[in-house]
Amino acid sequence: MSFQAQILTLYPDMFPGPLGQSIAGRALDEGKWGLSTVQIRDFATDKHRTVDDTPAGGGAGMVMMCEPLANAIDELQKEHGQYDEIIFVTPDGKRFEQKDANTLSLKKSILIICGHYKGIDQRIRDLYVTKEISIGDYVLSGGELAAAVIIDAIGRIIPGVLNDETSALTDSFQDNLLAPPVYSRPAEFRGLEVPPVLLTGDPKKVDAWRQEQALERTKTRRPDLLK
Ligand code: 6GU
């Protein structure tokens, strides 16, 4: 198996969720990549299985404690060996982009830590975490959806997962351009025609049109990508 993701979470039932469907889901069923979850609470040390505590210095909210997370990671690394990356998903992480998905798709094994409440004790970040990733400038109630987004973006570009091998290379963002518009049949629908160049059967002309449209779309919608 080329890629293994393990997720440390308080909500393992959120997985595989959407990752069990569609292209990535089929590849998961076929064993082309792997996904497993570990319940952080199983590594709590008291009889109430406590995983959070009040913030040092006071203030609102709760913080995920060191011990359950450290015990979980230690145990997993003992069983599994070192991970290529230990990722903490957090709104204060580095913004996730296509190139990060590309890089991560080449790894053999990653562990993703999903936080809740006000976050996790900084010492877990200092001691274990190799990458901190945010999926955008908004706050989710926990890291699980962010982890699913990241894994979906990775899963679909793992070699052998897409049936059309070249398809991932023509996605939006792969060359810092948005994808051009696409059409299928019929040639006319409610008065709107498929651009005639797409019906010429001339691949050079089609490519040139797509390139031009991609550039045009990027200029109007995402000029920041062209800088
Ligand atoms: Cl990675 N986690 C949470 N909780 N919220 C987010 C996020 C991550 N990325 C953007 N918002």
Side-chain angles (χ1 to χ4, degrees):
M1 184 170 320
S2 55
F3 177 84
Q4 266 288 349
Q6 204 147 41
I7 300 165
L8 208 41
T9 171
L10 291 170
Y11 300 96
D13 291 349
M14 289 178 73
F15 298 94
L19 298 171
Q21 304 289 317
S22 189
I23 291 168
R26 192 187 334 121
L28 193 58
D29 287 340
E30 290 168 357
K32 288 182 176 158
W33 64 288
L35 177 67
S36 58
T37 55
V38 174
Q39 169 60 271
I40 296 165
R41 208 173 283 285
D42 291 347
F43 295 86
T45 54
D46 67 329
K47 73 167 197 272
H48 302 294
R49 309 219 299 159
T50 308
V51 293
D52 60 334
D53 202 349
T54 53
M62 296 293 272
V63 173
M64 287 173 66
M65 304 157 64
C66 290
E67 291 89 342
L69 284 167
N71 290 342
I73 301 167
D74 288 345
E75 181 63 31
L76 288 173
Q77 301 214 99
K78 213 185 291 167
E79 266 172 35
H80 162 286
Q82 288 282 117
Y83 293 93
D84 292 332
E85 299 283 357
I86 298 180
I87 296 167
F88 177 47
V89 284
T90 172
D92 59 16
K94 183 187 166 294
R95 181 105 54 91
F96 187 65
E97 293 180 357
Q98 186 60 47
K99 65 172 155 48
D100 302 306
N102 296 350
T103 306
L104 288 172
S105 74
L106 303 174
K107 309 276 180 187
K108 285 198 295 290
S109 67
I110 66 172
L111 177 68
I112 302 186
I113 304 171
C114 300
H116 269 263
Y117 319 113
K118 279 275 145 201
I120 68 175
D121 191 296
Q122 179 60 38
R123 290 165 292 185
I124 295 298
R125 298 167 72 159
D126 295 342
L127 288 168
Y128 291 100
V129 170
T130 60
K131 248 186 212 315
E132 301 190 326
I133 298 178
S134 165
I135 63 162
D137 291 341
Y138 39 82
V139 179
L140 303 171
S141 54
E144 285 78 8
L145 288 174
V149 165
I150 290 164
I151 293 169
D152 184 276
I154 297 169
R156 61 184 296 286
I157 52 177
I158 294 168
V161 168
L162 288 189
N163 30 21
D164 176 359
E165 289 286 338
T166 62
S167 166
L169 300 174
T170 59
D171 289 340
S172 283
F173 304 112
Q174 281 299 13
D175 48 9
N176 253 7
L177 289 178
L178 299 183
V182 293
Y183 295 85
S184 183
R185 280 179 283 255
E188 195 224 290
F189 180 70
R190 299 189 184 172
L192 300 179
E193 289 183 347
V194 173
V197 61
L198 298 180
L199 306 176
T200 59
D202 181 339
K204 272 208 186 108
K205 280 192 185 146
V206 170
D207 271 359
W209 180 85
R210 286 184 174 149
Q211 188 65 27
E212 168 204 305
Q213 290 288 313
L215 193 57
E216 194 48 43
R217 267 204 169 169
T218 311
K219 268 186 202 158
T220 52
R221 298 177 182 205
R222 292 293 306 278
D224 57 296
L225 293 177
L226 297 171
K227 301 249 161 68

